[in-house]
Amino acid sequence: MKNKVVSKKPKKIISHRSREMRTGYAFIMIWVVGFVLFALFPLIQTFNYSLNTVQVTTQGVVLNFVNWSNYQRALFTDPTFIQLLISYFIETIVSVPIILIFSMIIALLLNLKFRFKGFFRTIFFLPVVITSGPVIAELTSQGATKVAGLTDSAAMASFVATLPNYLQAPVQYLMSSFILILWFSGVQILIYLSSLQKIDRSIYEAASIDGASAWESFWKITLPAMHTTTLINAFYTIVTLSHFSESKLITYVYAQTYSVLGGIGFASAMSFIYLIALMLILGIMGFLLSYRGKKQY
Amino acid sequence: MTNIIQKIRQFWDERLKNFLLGNRSDYGLIVKVLLYLLLISIGFIYLYPLLFMFITSMKSPDDLLNSMIQWVPSQVYVGNYVKAFRVLNYPINLAITIGISVIPSLLQACVAALVGYGLARYRFRGKNLIFILLMATFIIPAQTTIIPQMLTYKSLGILGSVFAIFLPALFGQGLRSAIFILIFYQTFSTFPKALEEAARLDGASERQIFLKVALPTATPAFIVSIIFSIVWYWNETYVTSIFLAGKIQTLPLALSKFVQAYENLYPQGMINIADRLNEAVKLSGTFLNILPLLIMYFILQRWFVESVERSGITGE
């Protein structure tokens, strides 16, 4: 009898903690199951496919182990893939800073006091709604996303020709798809704006009493406060740019999936390389931004 | 002479400086002009493709050939829209697209609320791992996991049906579910602990606390999640084209096959030259494609901006 009472007390404390844990797990269970079914298992399967040649027959999927040869083919034999991978790298690295700077400028503008604010806000958030692949593809092919006259002019062409080789591709890309790049900045503006509005007004007042100009306040107060937000935005931008369904790399991988010469195994290998490239870019951007962060603040 | 200069300087100091450059409480004229110039030119960048699309879609075949006519068509011509309407099979495809974007959005928001609440309100082991995995599901491109998924759906017999889209959403693995889970996590993290404890003292079960106490405070998060989710599902073509396997058409999918569908309806040899496929018809199709989203956006835009601010999408 006495024994029971003694052993009951610590048990109750543990059970309170473990009950909380159990309830927590119950809430997230559906996600964990979904993750295993719709993300983890397919990911492992794709990796498995990438080491094989895959044939889909009426009986099922027939695998034939070929080791790393799909990867070798993608990286060293196939001329198109590596070309597309390099231009994906260049385009992403060029676009991200432009999108970030541009969306920060717009967010700063929208944070000011002026008339017709609702009107301008409505226009500036339009890209959030219109980022559909086919719509953008249609607009691009009809020339609605080019700065007409600027890109096609002879002066521009000769200017590009004077640049060193490694700069030509990025500059040309910039010229031909400037508007398109800006169209990817809808959500980023929203994120910047909501984080700007969280900065305490009284900090600015204190600074201006101490004699700081608006210019100085921006560099010393606003920008440091935007640091985390910039990281989030950079992350978001890279991921959405890389997932854009009209990107040439993705359409190429998609085409290879069903082609006779390519096949599922080859396409799986390419998509894995693509995933690694994406993580590499994320890593580089994260490193650059956090390094700057430490130096400045 | 010095007198005049002095007067000008005095006038500058007293009136003009404030008027042009502004002071602490108000922007000056120059600043204002610059501000509006900047706003208008940036606004133009965003409106330009839409204007271009709308105006070109209103051009008759004669206007298209006439190089004099760029921004003002000579007549109001809706023939392009009539054709695009038929080619896109508009009423039916519109209904399908609405179904395929609204239903998974609702499912996704509910699951995200559940998971976000679990992550925000309970302490349990492995939470950090869950967050890392959550980020991973956001990063991993659909291309990397889609083939096995497709083959699984095929063997389950749901490839080409709407369930192939609904099922992942129901398990919190829909389109960018991770973002919505983080939004709800953010919302529920700020929910005061005292309210939760008061409800518990009154004998509410965990389920009741979630449904009756916490959920009603998460309305902004629901609005922002559902709106974004609808937009993203609406615009998605890669995943939908593979999972629906051509058996069900959404508007964006119909747009990407526009040329082919047009030539089926209006065979090249059978029609006169004015009815050939031109960019005006294509852009009418594009405009019809985004029109429902635009309408939704203009109706909801106030809600949308405000709830983004309130729900803390920033996610620090």
Side-chain angles (χ1 to χ4, degrees):
Chain A
M1 198 64 192
K2 221 178 179 184
N3 239 341
K4 252 186 181 172
V5 174
V6 171
S7 69
K8 216 174 180 179
K9 247 195 169 172
K11 204 178 172 189
K12 215 172 184 183
I13 295 166
I14 293 166
S15 88
H16 178 71
R17 263 318 285 269
S18 73
R19 204 179 62 197
E20 185 183 345
M21 274 176 73
R22 241 181 296 146
T23 333
Y25 286 135
F27 270 104
I28 63 159
M29 209 18 123
I30 193 164
W31 185 85
V32 174
V33 171
F35 176 76
V36 172
L37 284 181
F38 297 104
L40 186 64
F41 175 68
L43 198 68
I44 294 168
Q45 196 74 334
T46 308
F47 185 65
N48 188 20
Y49 287 163
S50 74
L51 299 176
N52 290 279
T53 54
V54 183
Q55 276 177 314
V56 181
T57 61
T58 42
Q59 278 91 45
V61 185
V62 179
L63 298 179
N64 189 8
F65 189 69
V66 291
N67 219 344
W68 299 97
S69 76
N70 280 327
Y71 288 88
Q72 275 167 6
R73 183 179 158 199
L75 286 175
F76 304 116
T77 321
D78 189 341
T80 326
F81 179 69
I82 197 75
Q83 203 63 45
L84 289 173
L85 198 65
I86 291 170
S87 60
Y88 157 74
F89 240 90
I90 293 176
E91 288 176 9
T92 311
I93 300 273
V94 171
S95 308
V96 171
I98 294 175
I99 291 178
L100 289 184
I101 292 170
F102 185 78
S103 46
M104 188 188 268
I105 290 174
I106 292 191
L108 285 169
L109 280 178
L110 285 178
N111 203 30
L112 296 174
K113 277 177 288 177
F114 55 87
R115 246 178 270 177
F116 312 117
K117 198 168 182 171
F119 170 74
F120 282 111
R121 206 159 60 168
T122 312
I123 293 175
F124 291 176
F125 291 148
L126 268 178
V128 178
V129 183
I130 312 159
T131 43
S132 148
V135 171
I136 288 185
E138 203 58 57
L139 286 174
T140 322
S141 71
Q142 302 301 339
T145 54
K146 265 191 205 170
V147 188
L150 182 68
T151 333
D152 307 327
S153 70
M156 211 59 230
S158 59
F159 167 71
V160 170
T162 60
L163 291 169
N165 254 337
Y166 56 90
L167 271 181
Q168 274 182 17
V171 170
Q172 241 153 18
Y173 164 73
L174 202 62
M175 289 295 151
S176 61
S177 39
F178 186 65
I179 294 186
L180 194 62
I181 295 177
L182 301 189
W183 270 64
F184 275 101
S185 53
V187 174
Q188 288 85 332
I189 300 173
L190 272 180
I191 297 177
Y192 268 133
L193 188 61
S194 68
S195 128
L196 273 176
Q197 283 170 346
K198 275 184 206 146
I199 301 177
D200 196 351
R201 289 270 129 219
S202 58
I203 301 177
Y204 289 104
E205 271 161 38
S208 94
I209 289 167
D210 285 345
S213 66
W215 179 249
E216 283 167 325
S217 304
F218 169 73
W219 290 103
K220 298 269 160 70
I221 301 170
T222 315
L223 208 56
M226 294 288 100
H227 185 236
T228 331
T229 317
T230 304
L231 266 174
I232 293 169
N233 264 342
F235 181 79
Y236 180 85
T237 311
I238 293 169
V239 172
T240 41
L241 279 179
S242 309
H243 287 194
F244 185 50
S245 66
E246 293 296 314
S247 101
K248 288 192 190 96
L249 194 70
I250 288 177
T251 29
Y252 180 70
V253 173
Y254 182 67
Q256 288 297 310
T257 313
Y258 294 105
S259 87
V260 189
L261 292 170
I264 292 178
F266 182 47
S268 302
M270 287 194 289
S271 60
F272 247 92
I273 297 172
Y274 185 52
L275 174 61
I276 291 165
L278 166 58
M279 307 238 273
L280 204 65
I281 292 184
L282 283 176
I284 293 172
M285 274 298 170
F287 175 76
L288 285 179
L289 284 171
S290 53
Y291 175 72
R292 262 184 61 97
K294 263 176 225 153
K295 205 173 144 191
Q296 271 192 335
Y297 324 121
Chain B
M1 192 66 191
T2 45
N3 206 3
I4 294 171
I5 290 173
Q6 220 159 32
K7 266 207 171 142
I8 289 174
R9 175 161 288 167
Q10 199 185 357
F11 178 66
W12 168 255
D13 280 345
E14 278 172 6
R15 311 283 296 278
L16 211 54
K17 193 179 172 196
N18 271 348
F19 180 64
L20 288 179
L21 294 175
N23 53 30
R24 258 165 215 206
S25 61
D26 193 29
Y27 309 122
L29 185 69
I30 292 178
V31 179
K32 259 188 193 153
V33 167
L34 279 177
L35 176 66
Y36 280 105
L37 268 180
L38 209 56
L39 284 170
I40 289 167
S41 49
I42 294 170
F44 183 70
I45 291 177
Y46 282 136
L47 278 182
Y48 174 77
L50 283 184
L51 279 178
F52 180 88
M53 176 163 60
F54 183 67
I55 284 165
T56 313
S57 71
M58 297 299 280
K59 282 181 182 172
S60 66
D62 291 336
D63 283 357
L64 277 176
L65 293 173
N66 190 345
S67 61
M68 300 281 284
I69 295 175
Q70 270 212 315
W71 288 106
V72 188
S74 63
Q75 50 168 323
V76 177
Y77 179 78
V78 291
N80 301 319
Y81 280 97
V82 175
K83 282 180 203 155
F85 201 82
R86 278 192 63 193
V87 173
L88 288 175
N89 198 3
Y90 200 65
I92 293 170
N93 280 341
L94 178 67
I96 292 172
T97 316
I98 290 174
I100 276 181
S101 44
V102 171
I103 296 170
S105 303
L106 295 175
L107 291 174
Q108 183 162 255
C110 295
V111 174
L114 195 70
V115 177
Y117 184 79
L119 286 171
R121 306 307 292 188
Y122 297 100
R123 287 168 299 167
F124 51 84
R125 232 172 278 143
K127 205 192 251 183
N128 284 335
L129 180 69
I130 298 282
F131 276 112
I132 292 169
L133 296 180
L134 209 59
M135 275 355 277
T137 59
F138 180 58
I139 295 170
I140 295 170
Q143 293 74 36
T144 325
T145 55
I146 202 156
I147 298 165
Q149 281 190 54
M150 184 192 78
L151 294 174
T152 315
Y153 291 158
K154 204 173 186 177
S155 62
L156 288 174
I158 57 170
L159 191 70
S161 80
V162 286
F163 294 107
I165 307 281
F166 295 167
L167 212 58
L170 185 62
F171 282 94
Q173 300 292 330
L175 213 54
R176 298 183 185 175
S177 279
I179 292 186
F180 304 119
I181 293 175
L182 287 180
I183 289 176
F184 278 103
Y185 168 75
Q186 193 72 19
T187 309
F188 287 128
S189 298
T190 56
F191 179 68
K193 191 94 188 160
L195 273 177
E196 189 188 326
E197 261 148 26
R200 197 165 287 144
L201 281 179
D202 286 344
S205 69
E206 302 293 321
R207 196 168 52 102
Q208 281 171 324
I209 295 172
F210 171 62
L211 289 174
K212 301 228 167 101
V213 185
L215 265 195
T217 65
T219 317
F222 266 104
I223 291 170
V224 83
S225 300
I226 290 171
I227 291 177
F228 272 94
S229 195
I230 288 176
V231 169
W232 286 334
Y233 266 106
W234 187 287
N235 288 328
E236 175 56 48
T237 50
Y238 186 83
V239 173
T240 43
S241 73
I242 290 175
F243 284 171
L244 298 179
K247 292 192 182 129
I248 300 170
Q249 282 284 16
T250 65
L251 281 179
L253 288 179
L255 183 68
S256 59
K257 293 181 197 130
F258 196 80
V259 178
Q260 208 190 338
Y262 189 88
E263 274 159 13
N264 284 342
L265 263 182
Y266 301 94
Q268 283 238 317
M270 312 277 282
I271 47 169
N272 59 10
I273 196 151
D275 283 336
R276 288 262 174 84
L277 180 59
N278 54 36
E279 65 260 38
V281 182
K282 275 195 205 162
L283 287 175
S284 313
T286 314
F287 196 74
L288 283 177
N289 222 299
I290 56 171
L291 188 65
L293 281 185
L294 280 182
I295 293 171
M296 178 185 102
Y297 174 66
F298 284 122
I299 294 172
L300 293 177
Q301 63 100 4
R302 171 155 293 169
W303 269 97
F304 158 88
V305 175
E306 276 172 15
S307 56
V308 165
E309 280 156 16
R310 256 189 289 160
S311 70
I313 199 176
T314 5
E316 280 117 24

